[in-house]
Amino acid sequence: MYTGVVETTGTVRRIDRLDSGCRIEVATDTDGLEPEDSIGISGVCLTVEAVGDGWFRTFLSAETVDRTYLAALDSGTAVNVERPMAAADRFDGHLVKGTVDATTEVVAVTDLGEDWRFTVDIPDGYEQYLVEKGAVALDGASLTVCELSTETFSVAVVPTTYDVTTLSEKTVGDPLHFEADLLAKYAERQSALTHGEV
């Protein structure tokens, strides 16, 4: 489980596309990281296969390749990195599982002077999980929906988030990993069960 408070960024050091799946090496701070640890890469929960001096390697299953854009990255591309939340940690952000729902894209980026507004396409079938002032994770970053229409939603990005994450490198048309709020999913499921819709 993650909080969506991205710790740092890393850089894709190597990518091996296989017949089924993909292996990615990421260059970043690896202090304390061990094989079999979980790690969030741009919002995707993965398992560490190997750790070297300043890098780690993960494997993407065929499902992860299909669901995310990670296998399409090139060497040198920056990615967000977050380790799972420890039981005794302070709970910042919101509950983020690292199980990406869909890939979407940036529609607009507006520089507001001190902060930025990112407008993003709503992935098909996920409209019901978005509400104004509700939570959403984009590339693993916990963000708040500040504006909502039938086809897009917008999030406000404060300077710290802009500086610490890869959002600062995103432009119109770039892909984003979308993870809907887990609590919204459970609320929908409970409502469906209550009303006999399942």
Side-chain angles (χ1 to χ4, degrees):
M1 191 68 71
Y2 302 88
T3 66
V5 180
V6 174
E7 293 178 65
T8 187
T9 58
T11 304
V12 175
R13 170 180 134 132
R14 176 175 175 165
I15 186 160
D16 295 318
R17 297 173 183 89
L18 311 170
D19 290 339
S20 177
C22 179
R23 280 192 168 82
I24 294 181
E25 288 183 7
V26 176
T28 193
D29 175 21
T30 55
D31 286 349
L33 195 61
E34 300 286 343
E36 300 184 16
D37 284 353
S38 292
I39 192 81
I41 303 300
S42 291
V44 183
C45 181
L46 299 167
T47 301
V48 175
E49 275 193 339
V51 179
D53 185 13
W55 63 269
F56 66 88
R57 185 177 71 229
T58 64
F59 177 77
L60 281 62
S61 68
E63 164 70 10
T64 303
V65 169
D66 290 343
R67 180 83 57 157
T68 73
Y69 65 75
L70 291 182
L73 295 178
D74 296 319
S75 295
T77 304
V79 292
N80 292 329
V81 178
E82 183 186 356
R83 297 179 200 224
M85 179 178 63
D89 281 354
R90 175 180 293 166
F91 191 92
D92 293 319
H94 75 282
L95 290 173
V96 178
K97 286 183 61 188
T99 49
V100 170
D101 290 307
T103 299
T104 185
E105 69 177 37
V106 179
V107 173
V109 179
T110 307
D111 186 340
L112 301 176
E114 290 296 320
D115 62 333
W116 293 261
R117 176 169 291 189
F118 281 69
T119 303
V120 179
D121 264 334
I122 299 175
D124 290 341
Y126 290 93
E127 301 85 353
Q128 69 272 28
Y129 301 118
L130 293 165
V131 295
E132 286 194 16
K133 309 308 178 190
V136 67
L138 296 175
D139 273 8
S142 175
L143 298 164
T144 301
V145 177
C146 63
E147 193 171 278
L148 187 61
S149 72
T150 56
E151 297 182 351
T152 65
F153 67 96
S154 296
V155 293
V157 178
V158 298
T160 299
T161 302
Y162 191 82
D163 292 341
V164 171
T165 72
T166 59
L167 290 175
S168 59
E169 301 184 16
K170 296 288 184 178
T171 59
V172 173
D174 282 348
L176 289 167
H177 292 137
F178 173 94
E179 183 182 332
D181 184 11
L182 180 63
L183 297 180
K185 292 180 183 179
Y186 280 121
E188 180 192 45
R189 174 71 174 171
Q190 185 59 47
S191 176
L193 289 170
T194 301
H195 295 93
E197 297 170 3
V198 177

